[in-house]
Amino acid sequence: MADIVPQKAIDCAVMQGLPHKLTRTADEVEDAIRGGFIAICEDGRLVAGCSGASVLVEASSAICEAGQYALAGIETGKHIVMMNSEADLLFGPSLMPLAHRRGQVYTSCDGDQHGVIRRLVDDLELWGFDLVMAGNIKGFLDRYSNPTKIVPEADARHLDYKMATAYTDGTKLCIEMALLANALGLRTVRAGMLGPRADDVHDVFHLFDFESLWADREACVDYVLGAKPGGGVFAIGHCEHPYQRSMLEYYKMGTGPFYLFYRPYHLCHIEAMECIADAVLEGRSLLEPVCGFRTNVFAYAKRNLTAGDTLDGVGGYACYGLIENCGGGHPGLPICLAESVVLRRDIRRDSAILLSDVHYPEGRGDFELYSRSGNVLA
């Protein structure tokens, strides 16, 4: 285990009653593993590069470094499980084919909403339904939240301030739904999705016009805001078969042809274990960007910004992210690249920030790895 604050990893090992050693070099890591200890270190490269592990779970909150760790893990023969959705979105289309060429698994992690929705979609497609909408249930949304405004809520939930802000301003929601779209070949109806307010997930039938949304037979991602069950996810399936529809009505699923499937919970680290086991034991990925960048999440100004301002990325003071369709090409600045870049011009609040609007150092690692997916950088 690696953490930039090693005591956190030590506390984790102690909590689980696992023997552990603090290590500082690659040799010390290998010696600890051979001795039956959990090797704890500060440098993630030591974990990514060690020979004593068969799978790397990238669960940091870094983005650029996470891409480098995942790349190192692939190069040293590890399956890659991405619990870091930002790095997964930005680098997955580059990392996945590298892993495949080596016979290794690359996968998003289960337990967060996009992984749980994928399992729900797998079920309804197995049962013969066509997927119409992959849906999330979001509790609260404030596009202009920031790491100061969020302090009371974050402290109550023991969350990092930028992480809590990314949840609240909708950026994390958009990132997770983009991962799902890029794995299943889905689209968004508009930038940021529709996201109507609802009291209950069953309200979707009068909040969305599924006949119109399904007219071109192309499924989409979206969400409802404030609905019960909190923490749940949903999917809409379509079935025209008269016998199936009659039986589904008998099963109290409604008259159709659109049907709601939902789960009232997602269990994060608990559900992650099955995904890790599937990767290592079965060579199976739960969710990976096989459709490339069908969508991405692009930066929008949270406030009036001035030329020369330095952006502070996901969950910061400067910008929020909205999912948009892109098909691999889009002029926008991906929100996951919006850290420590400098504006070339003034940007008004709620306006899109384009790649051409920012200056970044030549050779920066996150931009280079992102460009390997065929993205053209301004």
Side-chain angles (χ1 to χ4, degrees), residues 89-94 182 292-296 298 326-332 334 337 355 360 366-378:
L89 175 63
L90 196 63
F91 306 131
S94 299
N182 294 347
F293 279 106
R294 286 276 301 209
T295 64
N296 205 340
F298 297 99
C326 60
H330 193 287
L337 289 175
L355 259 170
Y360 56 89
D366 49 352
F367 279 79
E368 286 200 345
L369 187 53
Y370 175 68
S371 69
R372 292 189 194 180
S373 297
N375 297 287
V376 178
L377 298 178

Side-chain angles (χ1 to χ4, degrees), residues 122-144:
D122 284 349
D123 280 345
L124 72 88
E125 289 185 334
L126 176 68
W127 300 332
F129 295 86
D130 294 313
L131 176 65
V132 175
M133 177 181 288
N136 211 326
I137 300 174
K138 181 157 181 61
F140 180 75
L141 180 67
D142 175 10
R143 297 282 186 213
Y144 313 114

Side-chain angles (χ1 to χ4, degrees), residues 191-204:
M193 300 174 287
L194 298 171
R197 181 168 289 279
D199 293 324
D200 187 273
V201 68
H202 291 87
D203 296 343
V204 294

Side-chain angles (χ1 to χ4, degrees), residues 1 20-43 46-47 50-52:
M1 292 190 290
H20 58 277
K21 282 187 176 180
L22 185 63
T23 60
R24 294 176 176 82
T25 68
D27 287 342
E28 289 180 1
V29 168
E30 303 294 350
D31 287 344
I33 293 171
R34 282 193 294 268
F37 294 91
I38 299 295
I40 291 175
C41 54
E42 183 176 346
D43 188 349
L46 297 180
V47 171
C50 76
S51 62

